[in-house]
Amino acid sequence: MTGPISPRLQKTGLAVAGAVLILAALAELAIHRHGYLGFDGIFAFHAWFGLIAGGVAVVGARALALSLGRPEQTEAEDD
């Protein structure tokens, strides 16, 4: 797939991610968890921690790509 992702697909992906986050948070109501570290006993910890960790991974990968990548050149500059 080349080119940018369509706005409709972006909205659909965001809606699916939001639905998964909500379902994970609601599952916390049915499951009694015992936190090992204290802060992991907070309501919906696993849901929001996973969301934040995924966001950090995306931002980190983008920063790594920008720092290690070559600058883009057009065909006119190559001649």
Side-chain angles (χ1 to χ4, degrees), residues 23-35 40-44 46:
L23 289 174
L26 290 176
E28 293 279 332
L29 296 173
I31 301 170
H32 181 68
R33 296 192 179 267
H34 298 281
D40 59 344
I42 298 171
F43 175 73
H46 299 90

Side-chain angles (χ1 to χ4, degrees), residues 7-72:
R8 183 177 177 192
L9 184 59
Q10 289 176 354
K11 288 180 183 178
T12 303
L14 187 59
V16 169
V20 169
L21 179 65
I22 290 170
L23 289 174
L26 290 176
E28 293 279 332
L29 296 173
I31 301 170
H32 181 68
R33 296 192 179 267
H34 298 281
Y36 293 107
L37 302 173
F39 62 86
D40 59 344
I42 298 171
F43 175 73
F45 170 78
H46 299 90
W48 62 260
F49 182 79
L51 182 68
I52 291 172
V56 168
V58 168
V59 170
R62 179 68 178 153
L64 188 63
L66 288 174
S67 66
L68 297 178
R70 294 187 289 178
E72 294 185 19

